[in-house]
Amino acid sequence: MKARTRTIISMSGLFALCLTVGCERTPHEKVFTIGMSQCNLGEPWRVQMNADVKNAADKHPNIKVIFKDAQNDTLKQRAHIEEFVSAGVGLIIISPKEAAPLTEPVAKAVDAGIPVIVLDRRVLGDKYTCFIGADNKLIGREAGKWIVKKLGGQGKVVELKGLMTSTPGQDRHTGFRAGIEGSQIEVIFEADMKWLEPDARKEMESALARFDEIDLVYAHNDPGAHGAYLAAKAAGRETDIMFVGIDALPHEGVMYVKQGILDATLQYPTGGAEAIDIALKILNGEEVPKEITLGSRIFTTENVEAGGELIGS
Ligand code: FRU
């Protein structure tokens, strides 16, 4: 049989199959375009978020996602949102670099009738359709409580903070301070490392130069904790200090705990799959909650092989 005839036969077979079992997608089904603005793709966690969005979206032939990377530039990210609005996308997903400057473009998109899902870092106020993210205050507080226990209620701690114009940085800080309240834990050095490993390493070099005694480093993300570890290792002091981070990607933070580089990491789920789930609901005209709070686990040297432990339960 010639190849062309075979193709015609198999196409008609497919059509017959569609008639009997019902195809998921009819030729007239509307295809929705989703604009996804990622604040940067420099950290493994953000690469994972985009992969989670893509994997979830690939399961639905009626949605198409356009990914944009702001490369850690707030002005670029503002422009993304404006471009998505003028292109008339069906929905926008944004993981904003910082809260204040991204608030206005998000509000304008909502005013233009485009639903906006805000992922992980917040904007100010409540002019968005749905926020999805884990509870950073809880994560910070649980980190603090674990540290108090681990250090027997007292010790000298370095806090390497995430970008303090972003809400996870603010919440992981206030949560942590609440978690150590009433203990003899002393924060002897704190600095904004802007979520970046090289900045964390530099800040830690200053801390090491100033203080002979450091018991533990609490960093707002795993790249920060790893940067601090590298600085301590270069100074020959890594075995005197404990390191705690946040994110707990299997191939990053969890692996560091297994390798003995970090003593603990708290999971910060990307929310990528949930964002697509909610996007579909919105695009199909269903009501969605304003806030979706994702759960989190703590992974420590003691429990990492058993898969960590749920926090806040
Ligand atoms: C990546 C990241 C993560 C962190 C999150 C907070 O850019 O810094 O490590 O958990 O952003 O928004």
Side-chain angles (χ1 to χ4, degrees), residues 219-261:
H220 288 190
N221 66 357
D222 289 335
H226 189 245
Y229 169 84
L230 292 178
K233 192 164 190 286
R237 290 172 62 182
E238 83 280 11
T239 52
D240 304 336
I241 304 172
M242 286 189 256
F243 299 88
V244 175
I246 294 171
D247 279 347
L249 286 178
H251 51 286
E252 193 189 32
V254 171
M255 192 184 74
Y256 292 154
V257 174
K258 287 186 181 163
Q259 292 171 336
I261 291 174

Short mmCIF file of all heavy atoms in Angstrom, two decimals, residues 219-261:
data_model
loop_
_atom_site.label_atom_id
_atom_site.label_comp_id
_atom_site.label_asym_id
_atom_site.label_seq_id
_atom_site.Cartn_x
_atom_site.Cartn_y
_atom_site.Cartn_z
N ALA A 219 19.56 31.39 56.14
CA ALA A 219 19.45 32.13 54.87
C ALA A 219 18.04 31.94 54.33
O ALA A 219 17.45 30.87 54.47
CB ALA A 219 20.48 31.60 53.87
N HIS A 220 17.52 33.00 53.69
CA HIS A 220 16.12 32.96 53.23
C HIS A 220 15.91 32.05 52.02
O HIS A 220 14.77 31.84 51.62
CB HIS A 220 15.62 34.36 52.92
CG HIS A 220 15.39 35.19 54.15
ND1 HIS A 220 14.75 36.41 54.12
CD2 HIS A 220 15.71 34.99 55.46
CE1 HIS A 220 14.69 36.91 55.35
NE2 HIS A 220 15.28 36.07 56.17
N ASN A 221 16.99 31.58 51.39
CA ASN A 221 16.83 30.54 50.36
C ASN A 221 18.08 29.66 50.31
O ASN A 221 19.11 29.98 50.93
CB ASN A 221 16.46 31.13 48.97
CG ASN A 221 17.56 31.96 48.33
OD1 ASN A 221 18.61 32.19 48.93
ND2 ASN A 221 17.31 32.43 47.12
N ASP A 222 17.95 28.54 49.61
CA ASP A 222 19.06 27.58 49.58
C ASP A 222 20.30 28.11 48.84
O ASP A 222 21.42 27.85 49.28
CB ASP A 222 18.59 26.24 48.99
CG ASP A 222 17.66 25.50 49.94
OD1 ASP A 222 17.74 25.75 51.17
OD2 ASP A 222 16.85 24.69 49.47
N PRO A 223 20.13 28.86 47.74
CA PRO A 223 21.34 29.43 47.13
C PRO A 223 22.09 30.32 48.13
O PRO A 223 23.33 30.31 48.17
CB PRO A 223 20.80 30.26 45.95
CG PRO A 223 19.50 29.59 45.59
CD PRO A 223 18.93 29.11 46.89
N GLY A 224 21.35 31.06 48.97
CA GLY A 224 21.98 31.92 49.99
C GLY A 224 22.72 31.08 51.02
O GLY A 224 23.86 31.41 51.40
N ALA A 225 22.10 30.00 51.48
CA ALA A 225 22.74 29.14 52.49
C ALA A 225 23.99 28.49 51.89
O ALA A 225 25.02 28.37 52.56
CB ALA A 225 21.75 28.07 52.95
N HIS A 226 23.91 28.12 50.63
CA HIS A 226 25.05 27.48 49.96
C HIS A 226 26.20 28.48 49.79
O HIS A 226 27.38 28.14 49.99
CB HIS A 226 24.61 26.90 48.61
CG HIS A 226 25.65 26.06 47.96
ND1 HIS A 226 26.25 26.41 46.77
CD2 HIS A 226 26.24 24.91 48.36
CE1 HIS A 226 27.15 25.48 46.46
NE2 HIS A 226 27.15 24.56 47.40
N GLY A 227 25.86 29.72 49.42
CA GLY A 227 26.89 30.76 49.29
C GLY A 227 27.61 30.98 50.62
O GLY A 227 28.84 31.12 50.66
N ALA A 228 26.83 30.99 51.72
CA ALA A 228 27.42 31.19 53.05
C ALA A 228 28.33 30.01 53.39
O ALA A 228 29.42 30.17 53.94
CB ALA A 228 26.31 31.31 54.09
N TYR A 229 27.89 28.82 53.05
CA TYR A 229 28.69 27.61 53.30
C TYR A 229 30.04 27.71 52.55
O TYR A 229 31.09 27.41 53.11
CB TYR A 229 27.91 26.37 52.85
CG TYR A 229 28.74 25.11 52.82
CD1 TYR A 229 28.93 24.34 53.98
CD2 TYR A 229 29.36 24.69 51.64
CE1 TYR A 229 29.71 23.20 53.96
CE2 TYR A 229 30.14 23.54 51.62
CZ TYR A 229 30.32 22.80 52.78
OH TYR A 229 31.09 21.67 52.75
N LEU A 230 29.98 28.14 51.29
CA LEU A 230 31.21 28.23 50.50
C LEU A 230 32.19 29.24 51.12
O LEU A 230 33.41 28.99 51.15
CB LEU A 230 30.90 28.62 49.05
CG LEU A 230 30.16 27.56 48.22
CD1 LEU A 230 29.89 28.08 46.81
CD2 LEU A 230 30.94 26.24 48.16
N ALA A 231 31.65 30.35 51.64
CA ALA A 231 32.52 31.36 52.29
C ALA A 231 33.15 30.75 53.54
O ALA A 231 34.36 30.92 53.79
CB ALA A 231 31.70 32.59 52.65
N ALA A 232 32.34 30.03 54.32
CA ALA A 232 32.87 29.42 55.55
C ALA A 232 33.92 28.36 55.22
O ALA A 232 34.95 28.25 55.90
CB ALA A 232 31.72 28.80 56.35
N LYS A 233 33.66 27.61 54.16
CA LYS A 233 34.60 26.54 53.76
C LYS A 233 35.94 27.15 53.35
O LYS A 233 37.00 26.67 53.73
CB LYS A 233 33.98 25.76 52.60
CG LYS A 233 34.71 24.47 52.28
CD LYS A 233 33.81 23.60 51.40
CE LYS A 233 34.33 22.24 51.22
NZ LYS A 233 35.37 21.89 50.44
N ALA A 234 35.85 28.26 52.59
CA ALA A 234 37.08 28.92 52.15
C ALA A 234 37.88 29.43 53.35
O ALA A 234 39.11 29.54 53.30
CB ALA A 234 36.74 30.07 51.20
N ALA A 235 37.18 29.74 54.46
CA ALA A 235 37.86 30.23 55.66
C ALA A 235 38.18 29.07 56.61
O ALA A 235 38.64 29.30 57.74
CB ALA A 235 36.98 31.26 56.36
N GLY A 236 37.90 27.86 56.20
CA GLY A 236 38.16 26.68 57.04
C GLY A 236 37.25 26.59 58.25
O GLY A 236 37.59 25.97 59.25
N ARG A 237 36.06 27.22 58.20
CA ARG A 237 35.19 27.24 59.39
C ARG A 237 33.85 26.55 59.17
O ARG A 237 32.95 26.66 60.01
CB ARG A 237 34.96 28.72 59.79
CG ARG A 237 36.22 29.35 60.36
CD ARG A 237 36.07 30.85 60.59
NE ARG A 237 35.04 31.18 61.56
CZ ARG A 237 34.71 32.43 61.89
NH1 ARG A 237 35.34 33.45 61.33
NH2 ARG A 237 33.76 32.66 62.77
N GLU A 238 33.70 25.82 58.07
CA GLU A 238 32.38 25.26 57.74
C GLU A 238 31.89 24.20 58.73
O GLU A 238 30.69 24.04 58.92
CB GLU A 238 32.34 24.74 56.29
CG GLU A 238 32.89 23.36 56.04
CD GLU A 238 34.42 23.31 55.95
OE1 GLU A 238 35.10 24.30 56.28
OE2 GLU A 238 34.94 22.24 55.55
N THR A 239 32.84 23.50 59.41
CA THR A 239 32.37 22.46 60.34
C THR A 239 31.95 23.04 61.69
O THR A 239 31.31 22.37 62.48
CB THR A 239 33.46 21.37 60.55
OG1 THR A 239 34.67 22.03 60.90
CG2 THR A 239 33.65 20.52 59.29
N ASP A 240 32.31 24.31 61.96
CA ASP A 240 31.91 24.95 63.23
C ASP A 240 30.53 25.58 63.13
O ASP A 240 29.98 26.05 64.13
CB ASP A 240 32.87 26.12 63.58
CG ASP A 240 34.31 25.65 63.63
OD1 ASP A 240 34.51 24.44 63.86
OD2 ASP A 240 35.20 26.50 63.43
N ILE A 241 30.00 25.67 61.93
CA ILE A 241 28.76 26.45 61.71
C ILE A 241 27.67 25.56 61.10
O ILE A 241 27.97 24.71 60.26
CB ILE A 241 29.06 27.65 60.75
CG1 ILE A 241 30.20 28.52 61.31
CG2 ILE A 241 27.81 28.50 60.51
CD1 ILE A 241 30.70 29.60 60.36
N MET A 242 26.43 25.79 61.53
CA MET A 242 25.30 25.09 60.90
C MET A 242 24.68 26.01 59.85
O MET A 242 24.75 27.24 59.99
CB MET A 242 24.27 24.69 61.94
CG MET A 242 24.74 23.52 62.79
SD MET A 242 23.42 22.93 63.82
CE MET A 242 23.93 23.59 65.36
N PHE A 243 24.04 25.40 58.86
CA PHE A 243 23.45 26.18 57.76
C PHE A 243 22.02 25.73 57.52
O PHE A 243 21.77 24.53 57.37
CB PHE A 243 24.28 26.02 56.48
CG PHE A 243 25.69 26.49 56.62
CD1 PHE A 243 26.69 25.63 57.09
CD2 PHE A 243 26.02 27.82 56.36
CE1 PHE A 243 27.99 26.07 57.25
CE2 PHE A 243 27.33 28.27 56.52
CZ PHE A 243 28.31 27.39 56.97
N VAL A 244 21.12 26.72 57.47
CA VAL A 244 19.70 26.43 57.22
C VAL A 244 19.23 27.29 56.04
O VAL A 244 19.52 28.49 55.99
CB VAL A 244 18.85 26.76 58.48
CG1 VAL A 244 17.36 26.58 58.21
CG2 VAL A 244 19.27 25.88 59.66
N GLY A 245 18.53 26.67 55.11
CA GLY A 245 18.01 27.40 53.95
C GLY A 245 16.53 27.14 53.73
O GLY A 245 15.87 26.48 54.54
N ILE A 246 16.03 27.67 52.64
CA ILE A 246 14.61 27.51 52.26
C ILE A 246 14.54 27.26 50.76
O ILE A 246 15.33 27.86 50.00
CB ILE A 246 13.80 28.79 52.63
CG1 ILE A 246 13.76 28.96 54.16
CG2 ILE A 246 12.36 28.73 52.07
CD1 ILE A 246 13.18 30.28 54.65
N ASP A 247 13.65 26.46 50.33
CA ASP A 247 13.28 26.07 48.95
C ASP A 247 13.12 24.56 48.87
O ASP A 247 12.10 24.07 48.41
CB ASP A 247 14.27 26.49 47.85
CG ASP A 247 14.10 27.94 47.43
OD1 ASP A 247 13.06 28.56 47.79
OD2 ASP A 247 14.98 28.48 46.74
N ALA A 248 14.19 23.82 49.27
CA ALA A 248 14.14 22.35 49.31
C ALA A 248 13.78 21.72 47.97
O ALA A 248 12.95 20.81 47.91
CB ALA A 248 13.18 21.88 50.41
N LEU A 249 14.41 22.18 46.91
CA LEU A 249 14.27 21.44 45.64
C LEU A 249 14.99 20.11 45.82
O LEU A 249 16.06 20.07 46.44
CB LEU A 249 14.96 22.20 44.50
CG LEU A 249 14.29 23.45 43.95
CD1 LEU A 249 15.18 24.04 42.86
CD2 LEU A 249 12.92 23.15 43.38
N PRO A 250 14.46 19.04 45.25
CA PRO A 250 15.12 17.73 45.41
C PRO A 250 16.58 17.74 44.94
O PRO A 250 17.44 17.16 45.59
CB PRO A 250 14.29 16.79 44.53
CG PRO A 250 12.98 17.48 44.31
CD PRO A 250 13.23 18.96 44.45
N HIS A 251 16.84 18.46 43.82
CA HIS A 251 18.20 18.45 43.27
C HIS A 251 19.03 19.63 43.76
O HIS A 251 20.11 19.89 43.25
CB HIS A 251 18.14 18.45 41.74
CG HIS A 251 17.26 19.52 41.17
ND1 HIS A 251 15.88 19.45 41.23
CD2 HIS A 251 17.54 20.69 40.56
CE1 HIS A 251 15.37 20.54 40.66
NE2 HIS A 251 16.36 21.30 40.25
N GLU A 252 18.52 20.39 44.75
CA GLU A 252 19.31 21.49 45.32
C GLU A 252 19.35 21.34 46.85
O GLU A 252 20.16 20.61 47.38
CB GLU A 252 18.74 22.84 44.88
CG GLU A 252 19.68 24.01 45.15
CD GLU A 252 19.03 25.37 44.93
OE1 GLU A 252 17.82 25.53 45.16
OE2 GLU A 252 19.76 26.32 44.55
N GLY A 253 18.42 22.00 47.56
CA GLY A 253 18.46 22.01 49.03
C GLY A 253 18.43 20.63 49.66
O GLY A 253 19.21 20.34 50.58
N VAL A 254 17.53 19.78 49.18
CA VAL A 254 17.41 18.44 49.78
C VAL A 254 18.71 17.67 49.56
O VAL A 254 19.21 16.99 50.46
CB VAL A 254 16.17 17.69 49.22
CG1 VAL A 254 16.17 16.24 49.65
CG2 VAL A 254 14.88 18.39 49.67
N MET A 255 19.28 17.85 48.39
CA MET A 255 20.56 17.18 48.10
C MET A 255 21.67 17.71 49.03
O MET A 255 22.47 16.95 49.55
CB MET A 255 20.91 17.41 46.64
CG MET A 255 22.04 16.56 46.12
SD MET A 255 22.42 17.01 44.42
CE MET A 255 23.25 18.60 44.64
N TYR A 256 21.67 19.04 49.27
CA TYR A 256 22.67 19.62 50.18
C TYR A 256 22.54 19.02 51.59
O TYR A 256 23.53 18.79 52.27
CB TYR A 256 22.51 21.14 50.29
CG TYR A 256 22.83 21.94 49.05
CD1 TYR A 256 22.21 23.19 48.84
CD2 TYR A 256 23.75 21.50 48.10
CE1 TYR A 256 22.50 23.95 47.71
CE2 TYR A 256 24.04 22.27 46.98
CZ TYR A 256 23.41 23.49 46.79
OH TYR A 256 23.69 24.25 45.68
N VAL A 257 21.30 18.81 52.02
CA VAL A 257 21.10 18.21 53.36
C VAL A 257 21.66 16.79 53.37
O VAL A 257 22.38 16.40 54.28
CB VAL A 257 19.61 18.24 53.78
CG1 VAL A 257 19.40 17.49 55.10
CG2 VAL A 257 19.10 19.67 53.91
N LYS A 258 21.36 16.05 52.31
CA LYS A 258 21.88 14.66 52.22
C LYS A 258 23.41 14.65 52.19
O LYS A 258 24.04 13.75 52.73
CB LYS A 258 21.34 13.98 50.96
CG LYS A 258 19.87 13.61 51.09
CD LYS A 258 19.40 12.79 49.89
CE LYS A 258 17.92 12.46 50.03
NZ LYS A 258 17.30 12.04 48.76
N GLN A 259 23.99 15.67 51.58
CA GLN A 259 25.46 15.73 51.48
C GLN A 259 26.12 16.30 52.74
O GLN A 259 27.33 16.40 52.81
CB GLN A 259 25.86 16.60 50.28
CG GLN A 259 25.51 15.99 48.93
CD GLN A 259 25.73 16.95 47.78
OE1 GLN A 259 25.72 18.18 47.95
NE2 GLN A 259 25.92 16.41 46.59
N GLY A 260 25.30 16.77 53.69
CA GLY A 260 25.85 17.34 54.92
C GLY A 260 26.29 18.79 54.77
O GLY A 260 26.95 19.33 55.65
N ILE A 261 25.92 19.43 53.66
CA ILE A 261 26.27 20.85 53.46
C ILE A 261 25.31 21.73 54.27
O ILE A 261 25.72 22.64 54.98
CB ILE A 261 26.23 21.19 51.95
CG1 ILE A 261 27.38 20.47 51.24
CG2 ILE A 261 26.28 22.70 51.72
CD1 ILE A 261 27.36 20.60 49.72
#
